[in-house]
Amino acid sequence: MKRVLLKLSGEALMCKDTNLSIKQEMLDHFATEVKDAHSMGVQIALVVGAGNIIRGKTFAGANEETRIEGDYMGMLATIINSMALRSKMQSHGLDVRLQSALSMDQVAQLYIRDKALSGLEEGKILIFAGGTGNPFFTTDTAAALRASEINADALLKGTNVDGVYDKDPNEHADSKLIKEASFLDVINKELQVMDATAITMCKDQNIPIRVFNIHEPGNLRKVLAGEQLGTTISAAGAS
Ligand code: UDP
């Protein structure tokens, strides 16, 4: 793989024990993984969510008219997470370019595709913040959109489980890891990978998705080296 987009959920940055939204050790872990993967010569762009801080739907609850305000708050929160990642990755010696879908002049460049591409070619790590810049979407969809725009070879979704399961592994002891699935399988069987908009976009643009455990040190490198860990979602599916 020459160029990938790595999607991290906001919750991946959290410290569950203390409820701290952003834990330094988690940032260190991701910076280490990205640095190692980058040393393989792979161009890496990141999108990070904001579930550790706020989600529009949760904020609004039953009060639907506040949903859009909440979504903008969620998008702003992705900028906070992205800044935290940027500063940690910089302290690990990486050259990072942060671009935001929402204008945020003092802290990030506005998203400009050409500059993103030239940054990647120059060996910079790109972070795309602010989601898609529009309410009603998720950062999974932002990841699918940016992956399409930068012609990524794959969208890598780092999670806290080993991949996609046939049933929720936290609730069913007999759940099985699915190694390969097609985009249509994911849509028809409603497999919990990413929301339908994001899956459809990857399907339309034929961008394979790999879901894998990002908390396991070395996994990002293994995925990039072609090891078959996690779940691969592609047009072909299980052959
Ligand atoms: N969001 C949005 N538009 C986008 C991306 C995100 O409105 O293009 C808002 C939405 O409220 C979402 C929140 O930002 O719930 C945080 O993103 P997400 O839920 O995808 O974060 P994750 O679950 O990956 O941590």
Side-chain angles (χ1 to χ4, degrees):
M1 286 187 224
K2 180 175 175 283
R3 179 181 292 164
V4 294
L5 190 137
L6 174 63
K7 162 74 207 300
L8 300 173
S9 71
E11 278 173 3
L13 308 185
M14 272 188 95
C15 176
K16 293 261 158 61
D17 301 336
T18 60
N19 250 350
L20 198 68
S21 304
I22 301 176
K23 190 179 178 186
Q24 293 293 344
E25 285 81 353
M26 299 315 298
L27 297 175
D28 274 314
H29 169 67
F30 295 126
T32 306
E33 293 295 294
V34 168
K35 188 171 182 181
D36 181 40
H38 189 249
S39 73
M40 298 167 76
V42 180
Q43 296 178 11
I44 303 175
L46 285 113
V47 166
V48 60
N52 55 327
I53 301 176
I54 192 163
R55 290 195 175 99
K57 262 192 194 164
T58 323
F59 171 75
N63 202 359
E64 257 304 309
E65 65 270 27
T66 61
R67 161 74 190 270
I68 294 176
E69 191 77 340
D71 278 343
Y72 276 103
M73 292 159 76
M75 287 184 263
L76 290 175
T78 68
I79 300 173
I80 296 177
N81 284 338
S82 299
M83 288 171 69
L85 268 176
R86 171 177 61 182
S87 97
K88 186 59 81 179
M89 291 201 293
Q90 284 172 336
S91 73
H92 280 244
L94 287 164
D95 192 359
V96 186
R97 178 170 285 176
L98 171 56
Q99 292 197 337
S100 168
L102 296 174
S103 167
M104 193 56 64
D105 293 348
Q106 283 78 4
V107 294
Q109 268 181 10
L110 196 58
Y111 171 69
I112 299 174
R113 178 173 176 268
D114 270 358
K115 283 197 176 172
L117 291 175
S118 60
L120 286 168
E121 296 288 353
E122 287 160 16
K124 292 185 172 59
I125 305 295
L126 254 291
I127 306 179
F128 298 124
T132 64
N134 298 289
F136 300 113
F137 290 100
T138 64
T139 51
D140 279 351
T141 300
L145 174 67
R146 296 297 184 231
S148 305
E149 289 185 271
I150 64 167
N151 308 316
D153 297 315
L155 194 168
L156 309 180
K157 175 149 174 161
T159 65
N160 57 5
V161 288
D162 287 341
V164 181
Y165 289 79
D166 57 349
K167 296 180 239 178
D168 185 346
N170 296 317
E171 288 178 18
H172 302 272
D174 63 341
S175 63
K176 287 195 186 69
L177 181 77
I178 299 169
K179 291 197 171 150
E180 284 177 83
S182 67
F183 293 117
L184 279 177
D185 282 340
V186 173
I187 295 167
N188 294 337
K189 296 179 189 164
E190 297 186 349
L191 297 174
Q192 297 304 302
V193 181
M194 300 198 300
D195 58 84
T197 314
I199 297 290
T200 305
M201 177 129 217
C202 288
K203 176 176 174 292
D204 288 350
Q205 300 306 317
N206 203 10
I207 297 179
I209 304 167
R210 177 74 72 91
V211 184
F212 68 104
N213 190 336
I214 186 75
H215 293 284
E216 189 68 35
N219 267 2
L220 181 58
R221 164 176 277 274
K222 285 182 188 165
V223 166
L224 295 175
E227 281 192 38
Q228 286 307 306
L229 59 92
T231 304
T232 304
I233 295 143
S234 63
S239 41

